[in-house]
């Protein structure tokens, strides 16, 4: 009894000394709390049972968790394969063995820990474990009973789904193709959860590989957020039981029972019309086994297809030749090939080119109505896919006749059996491209002086102010035609071309009818010389009060609606019609235009005397219109960054969108500041004027704040921070040293007591308090050991004397 009181007295003195020191020199963690709360916490600390740092008897508490050994050092190698099960038995993934620490030996110091310092923990070893038990309801559904254990304490609820293996990206958007979702979302109780995923037979494909995935409820599922996954093993017998058949699903690569696969594509309707239209004046020729008119169909002839993952390569046979411009356009769509790689949501289109193959387009397999459809014979069909040309497809394969952003015809293909009768074809050789000879450009009429219609007086000089077709000029100098608009003998006025009045004509001043001649030439060239249009020495013939005809180079170009214009007569008899609508325009259009139908601009003309003015020559080209980046950011607003701020790292992707641009605008600049680093020279907007861009931050970009901008018909910008990439948790855990873990363990004691080092307290005070608390812990441990020994001795005495202790 006296010894017990002595131990308690010593502990109380040491505890009081430590707390007084901490209170005098340190700032308690709970100093700002309510006094009553602080008193309650102090009472809890004082009344808490003593904690033993050693167990000399080797008696661990029955509910204490057993620390696991480092699985990197002791655990078996992971295995991705699972034995095939013939019954509905649950599949349990192997668990890394856990080794209990050896008990401390008697006589160890109470101040020494009884087990080694904790080692770095492998994050994968702490991942939740899934146990899957499939249950078959023939011809109706597949139920998967899931038991999840070892779920982290911070997760109280999660989402879960049964999906086709490798299709995790489908969980980030619309989910019509997910066989089963957990509803309601499972709740976690004591680190475990059980739930059932029910998949109707219509959502499943016999023989495919499926997986169960878990991810937090607060965000989408992807490779970074999925917290657990497990392969579902379904045997051939179970598949047969589920689908009510003993015949296995035909393998498309087997070429036995599946229908012959096919590739179906119309390229683009306007491109086909252009080839056979009045500009290219060409033809479209098919080589068997390709068939079709508006949609061309090619049979499957070979494949390297993996039905389990829906990836691989499929080859089709046939050729479609597009020929025009007297052979300048000569393009073969021969033996197309579809490749679906590791990402099941997209494919690529390859065609023969030279002695090899060329990837010309990306195919979006997640577009509307593009979901794969498995047919009864085992073939798989993709329809309604979205096709986007890449740079090689635009510039090399289609020779600039199409751009990357043009909306192409939807593409469909069926992966099935190979044709046993058809073979890839050898496309006809294409002739080398011969640059067309330029058409002779008319010369403007010589400037002269004289009178209109032979009348004298002091009339003003006549002129024709006309933009011809600003829409056509924009097309010619744009990113498709990449051409030039040049003028000779034509001036400029208010954004329009100014043609001076020339000698000639048959104007009647009395009736204000007749013809008037103007001088000057405007030429439009593009598509490497294939497009050559222009207006030369226009003449207007007024046939009545409301009607007139305009000629170019002696040929009728269009008609004028004088009735819708404003007419005025000058003091000396000159007559002016303003804002005259022109019924006419340019027809044709490479890159898919079918008879351009680009309208003419309204015009204004004055009939006066012949002008003696002489104009020179000008030229505006696509190259001259290219934008140059501003030396400083023009703005810092207008861009919405779509990429997570944590992902804005050197070499990482950045995606953003900005509104307010012209409809289908092209060749906008994407520039990063400081430094005016041009990331893209051809960014484009959609029909609504919204520009969405995805690119890469240069790898050599230093960390810090930047401004990213888009410069086009309008400017937009945003301030971003380029950050250091986050370290993975597993690597970070392995980088902790034993000394760091020891420091963390030592720091836990004073922190638990509410004593932490602050700027106002010396570090030595904190260490003194720590040592005092460790001494107290050791003392308490010694007291417990002594009490256990005496209690054990007392029990032995009672047993030897036949006096057992009373039952509790």
């Amino acid at each position: 009894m006296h010894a017990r009181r002595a131990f308690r007295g010593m502990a109380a003195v040491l505890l009081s000394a430590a707390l007084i020191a901490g209170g005098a020199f340190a700032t308690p963690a709970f100093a700002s709390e309510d006094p009553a709360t602080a008193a309650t916490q102090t009472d809890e600390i004082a009344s808490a049972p003593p904690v033993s740092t050693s167990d000399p008897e080797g008696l661990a508490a029955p509910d204490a968790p057993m620390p696991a050994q480092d699985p990197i050092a002791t655990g078996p190698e992971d295995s991705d394969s699972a034995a095939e099960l013939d019954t509905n038995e649950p599949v349990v993934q192997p668990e890394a063995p856990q080794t209990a620490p050896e008990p401390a030996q008697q006589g160890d110091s109470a101040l020494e820990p009884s087990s080694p310092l904790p080692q770095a923990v492998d994050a994968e070893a702490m991942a939740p474990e899934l146990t899957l038990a499939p249950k078959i309801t023939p011809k109706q559904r597949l139920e998967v009973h899931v038991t999840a254990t070892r779920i982290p304490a911070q997760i109280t609820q999660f989402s879960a789904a049964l999906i086709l293996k490798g299709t995790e990206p489908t969980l980030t958007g619309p989910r019509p193709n997910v066989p089963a979702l957990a509803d309601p979302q499972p709740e976690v109780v004591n680190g475990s959860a059980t739930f059932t995923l029910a998949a109707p037979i219509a959502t499943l494909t016999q023989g495919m590989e499926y997986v169960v995935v878990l991810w937090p409820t607060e965000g989408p599922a992807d490779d970074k957020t999925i917290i657990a996954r497990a392969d579902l093993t379904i045997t051939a017998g179970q598949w047969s039981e589920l689908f009510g058949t003993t015949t296995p699903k035909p393998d498309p690569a087997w070429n036995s029972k599946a229908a012959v696969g096919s590739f179906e594509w119309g390229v683009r309707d306007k491109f086909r019309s252009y080839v056979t239209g009045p500009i290219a004046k060409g033809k479209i020729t098919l080589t068997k086994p390709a068939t079709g008119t508006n949609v061309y169909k090619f049979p499957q002839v070979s494949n390297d297809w993996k039905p389990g993952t829906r990836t691989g390569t499929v080859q089709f046979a046939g050729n479609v030749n597009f020929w025009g411009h007297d052979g300048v356009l000569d393009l073969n769509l021969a033996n197309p090939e579809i490749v679906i790689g590791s990402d099941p949501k997209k494919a690529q289109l390859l065609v023969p080119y030279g002695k090899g193959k060329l990837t010309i387009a990306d195919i979006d397999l997640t577009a509307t109505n593009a979901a794969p459809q498995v047919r009864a014979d085992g073939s798989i069909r993709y329809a309604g896919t979205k096709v986007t040309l890449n740079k090689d497809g635009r510039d090399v394969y289609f020779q600039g006749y199409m751009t990357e952003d043009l909306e192409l015809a939807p593409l469909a293909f069926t992966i099935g059996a190979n044709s046993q009768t058809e073979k890839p074809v050898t496309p006809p050789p294409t002739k080398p491209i011969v640059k067309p000879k330029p058409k002779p450009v008319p010369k403007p009429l010589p400037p002269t002086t004289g009178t209109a219609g032979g009348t004298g007086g002091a009339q003003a000089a006549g002129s024709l102010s006309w933009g011809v077709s600003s829409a056509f000029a924009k097309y010619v100098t744009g990113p498709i035609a990449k051409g030039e608009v040049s003028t000779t003998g034509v001036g400029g006025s208010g954004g329009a071309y100014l043609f001076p009045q020339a000698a000639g004509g048959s104007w009647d001043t009395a009736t204000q009818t007749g013809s008037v001649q103007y001088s000057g030439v405007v030429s439009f060239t593009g598509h490497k010389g294939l497009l050559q249009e222009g207006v030369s020495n226009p003449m207007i013939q007024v046939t009545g009060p409301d009607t007139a005809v305009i000629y170019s180079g002696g040929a009728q170009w269009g008609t004028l609606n004088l009735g819708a214009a404003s007419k005025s007569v000058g003091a000396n008899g000159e007559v002016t019609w303003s804002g005259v609508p022109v019924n006419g325009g340019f027809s044709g259009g490479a890159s898919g235009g079918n008879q351009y139908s680009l309208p003419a601009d309204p015009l204004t003309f004055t009939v006066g005397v012949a002008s003696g003015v002489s104009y020179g020559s000008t030229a505006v080209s696509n190259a001259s219109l290219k934008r140059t980046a501003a030396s400083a950011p023009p703005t810092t607003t207008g861009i919405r960054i779509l990429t997570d701020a944590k992902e804005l790292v050197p070499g990482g992707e950045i995606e953003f969108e900005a509104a307010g641009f012209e409809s289908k605008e092209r060749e906008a600049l994407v520039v990063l500041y400081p430094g005016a680093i041009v990331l893209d020279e051809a960014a484009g907007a959609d029909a609504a004027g919204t520009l969405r861009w995805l690119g890469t931050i240069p790898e050599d970009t230093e960390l810090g704040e930047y401004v990213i901008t888009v410069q086009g018909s309008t400017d937009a910008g945003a301030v971003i921070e380029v950050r250091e990439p986050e370290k993975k948790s597993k690597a970070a855990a392995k980088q902790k040293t034993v000394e760091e873990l020891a420091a963390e363990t030592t720091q836990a004691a004073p922190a638990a007591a509410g004593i932490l080092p602050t700027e106002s307290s010396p570090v030595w005070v904190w260490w003194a308090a720590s040592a005092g608390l460790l001494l107290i812990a050791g003392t308490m441990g010694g007291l417990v050991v002594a009490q256990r020994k005496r209690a054990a001795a007392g029990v032995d005495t009672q047993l030897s004397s036949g006096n057992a202790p009373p039952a509790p």
Side-chain angles (χ1 to χ4, degrees):
M1 179 66 69
H2 293 290
R4 183 182 305 174
R5 291 178 178 175
F7 273 108
R8 290 179 176 175
M10 184 183 299
V13 170
L14 290 173
L15 177 59
S16 301
L19 293 177
I20 291 172
F25 299 100
T27 302
F30 48 77
S32 61
E33 295 180 355
D34 183 80
T37 304
T40 303
Q41 293 182 347
T42 305
D43 292 340
E44 291 175 353
I45 294 173
S47 61
V51 179
S52 174
T53 59
S54 64
D55 189 3
E57 306 292 340
L59 303 174
D63 57 349
M66 303 294 286
Q69 293 285 351
D70 187 350
I72 296 177
T74 62
E77 295 183 359
D78 293 335
S79 174
D80 293 333
S81 62
E84 186 179 79
L85 302 180
D86 293 327
T87 63
N88 292 334
E89 292 298 325
V91 180
V92 182
Q93 297 185 359
E95 180 178 359
Q98 295 182 342
T99 306
E102 295 182 1
Q105 300 296 323
Q106 292 189 16
D108 290 344
S109 170
L111 295 178
E112 295 179 358
S114 60
S115 60
L117 291 173
Q119 300 181 20
V121 178
D122 189 341
E124 294 181 0
M126 300 303 294
E129 178 182 281
L130 302 183
T131 301
L132 311 182
K135 180 182 178 182
I136 304 296
T137 301
K139 298 184 179 181
Q140 293 186 23
R141 63 183 176 276
L142 166 67
E143 294 181 356
V144 182
H145 298 284
V146 184
T147 301
T149 57
R150 298 197 312 190
I151 301 175
Q154 66 271 21
I155 298 178
T156 60
Q157 195 174 36
F158 56 82
S159 298
L162 174 69
I163 61 173
L164 187 67
K165 191 171 183 178
T167 61
E168 282 85 346
T170 62
L171 293 168
T172 62
R175 305 174 182 176
N177 300 318
V178 176
L181 283 169
D183 187 17
Q185 293 169 331
E187 295 186 357
V188 181
V189 179
N190 295 329
S192 301
T194 58
F195 57 94
T196 298
L197 295 169
I201 189 173
T203 65
L204 300 169
T205 301
Q206 187 173 350
M208 292 297 181
E209 298 179 8
Y210 291 88
V211 63
V212 172
V213 294
L214 275 60
W215 71 98
T217 57
E218 59 270 13
D222 54 39
D223 291 337
K224 297 180 180 179
T225 60
I226 289 178
I227 59 176
R229 71 180 74 220
D231 293 341
L232 175 64
T233 300
I234 302 293
T235 68
Q238 290 173 325
W239 280 123
S240 297
E241 181 185 1
L242 178 61
F243 282 86
T245 175
T246 57
T247 304
K249 183 185 74 66
D251 186 342
W254 182 34
N255 295 341
S256 175
K257 297 183 179 179
V260 174
S262 62
F263 174 94
E264 301 152 41
W265 192 33
V267 185
R268 190 169 191 255
D269 56 350
K270 290 185 177 180
F271 177 71
R272 299 193 309 270
S273 299
Y274 167 73
V275 171
T276 59
I279 300 299
K281 298 179 181 179
K283 59 184 178 180
I284 300 174
T285 306
L286 277 69
T287 302
K288 292 183 178 181
T291 58
T293 52
N294 295 333
V295 177
Y296 310 114
K297 186 173 183 179
F298 304 74
Q300 178 180 321
V301 292
S302 66
N303 73 85
D304 178 19
W305 182 252
K306 303 173 182 61
T309 58
R310 293 184 182 176
T311 59
T313 301
V314 185
Q315 176 79 59
F316 306 90
N319 181 58
V320 179
N321 175 261
F322 301 92
W323 185 93
H325 292 296
D326 295 324
V328 175
L329 169 61
D330 192 358
L331 185 151
N332 290 308
L333 178 60
N335 305 323
E337 185 175 302
I338 294 289
V339 177
I340 302 179
S342 58
D343 188 348
K345 66 180 180 180
K346 63 182 180 180
Q348 291 181 315
L349 174 59
L350 282 67
V351 294
Y353 188 80
K355 295 183 179 180
K357 296 178 180 179
L358 183 68
T359 301
I360 65 171
D362 295 320
I363 304 172
D364 184 0
L365 302 181
T366 64
T368 304
N369 300 323
Q373 302 172 0
V374 180
R375 297 179 170 180
D377 62 0
S379 59
I380 301 175
R381 180 169 177 80
Y382 295 82
T385 65
K386 182 179 180 181
V387 186
T388 304
L389 288 180
N390 57 22
K391 192 175 187 301
D392 285 340
R394 176 196 68 184
D395 297 337
V396 179
Y397 185 70
F398 280 102
Q399 305 168 10
Y401 286 91
M402 286 204 245
T403 63
E404 291 170 289
D405 61 304
L406 279 181
E407 183 177 351
L408 303 177
L411 188 152
F413 59 95
T414 301
I415 302 172
N418 298 330
S419 172
Q420 301 301 307
T421 59
E422 306 295 351
K423 302 295 180 184
V425 302
T426 301
T430 57
K431 298 179 181 180
I433 297 177
V434 178
K435 189 174 182 179
K437 295 181 180 180
K439 295 179 181 179
V441 179
K443 294 182 179 180
L445 299 174
T448 58
T449 58
T451 59
T455 62
Q459 285 184 340
S463 63
L464 166 63
S465 177
W466 186 28
V468 184
S469 174
S470 55
F472 186 61
K474 185 176 181 180
Y475 169 78
V476 168
T477 58
I480 298 176
K482 295 182 179 179
E484 179 182 85
V485 179
S486 60
T487 68
T488 304
V490 176
S493 175
Y497 303 113
L498 188 63
F499 300 81
Q501 183 174 329
S506 58
W507 187 253
D508 187 336
T509 56
T511 61
Q512 295 181 349
T513 61
S515 62
V516 57
Q517 181 72 57
Y518 299 94
S519 176
V521 178
V522 178
S523 299
F524 303 86
T525 59
H527 291 294
K528 301 178 182 179
L530 296 178
L531 183 157
Q532 299 183 42
E533 299 283 358
V535 170
S536 62
N537 303 320
M539 182 181 71
I540 295 177
Q541 183 178 28
V542 178
T543 57
D546 299 326
T547 59
V549 179
I550 185 168
Y551 294 83
S552 171
Q556 181 173 327
W557 197 91
T559 59
L560 307 182
N561 182 3
L562 301 181
S566 299
K567 180 182 177 182
S568 62
V569 180
N572 296 313
E574 60 269 12
V575 185
T576 300
W577 280 269
S578 302
V580 182
V582 180
N583 182 18
F586 290 98
S587 64
S591 184
N594 181 16
Q595 299 183 359
Y596 293 132
S597 297
L598 296 175
D601 294 352
L603 58 81
T604 295
F605 69 101
T606 298
V607 181
V609 297
S611 173
V613 68
S614 177
Y615 295 107
S617 300
T618 64
V620 177
S621 66
N622 175 259
S624 68
L625 293 176
K626 283 188 175 296
R627 297 183 174 91
T628 57
S631 58
T635 182
T636 58
T637 61
I639 283 180
R640 184 169 71 94
I641 303 297
L642 303 177
T643 305
D644 193 318
K646 298 182 299 184
E647 304 298 328
L648 299 178
V649 300
E653 288 188 344
I654 177 173
E655 185 176 8
F656 65 77
E657 69 177 15
F661 292 83
E662 293 182 2
S663 177
K664 295 187 177 181
E665 178 178 345
R666 296 295 174 264
E667 300 197 13
L669 299 181
V670 178
V671 190
L672 186 67
Y673 296 90
I677 303 169
V678 178
L679 304 181
D680 193 353
E681 295 181 341
D686 59 17
T690 298
L691 186 150
R692 185 159 183 158
W693 187 81
L694 173 65
T696 303
I697 299 173
E699 292 186 0
D700 58 353
T701 303
E702 297 181 358
L703 306 183
E705 190 174 272
Y706 293 82
V707 176
I708 192 165
T709 67
V710 179
Q711 300 171 29
S713 60
T714 187
D715 296 324
V719 178
I720 63 172
E721 181 182 356
V722 178
R723 307 184 178 193
E724 184 177 0
E726 291 186 350
K727 296 179 181 179
K728 295 183 179 180
S729 58
K730 180 177 179 179
K734 289 183 178 180
Q735 289 173 355
K736 286 188 177 181
T737 63
V738 173
E739 289 77 13
E740 290 171 337
L741 291 169
E744 293 176 2
T745 304
T746 305
Q747 183 181 356
I755 304 173
L756 296 173
T758 64
E759 295 180 357
S760 60
S761 61
V763 176
W764 68 266
V765 175
W766 182 77
W767 281 108
S770 301
L773 289 175
L774 289 175
L775 182 59
I776 294 171
T779 304
M780 294 295 186
L783 177 59
V784 171
V785 171
Q787 289 177 335
R788 287 185 176 180
K789 288 182 177 180
R790 285 191 297 274
V795 171
D796 292 341
T797 303
Q798 291 177 353
L799 290 175
S800 61
S801 62
N803 297 322

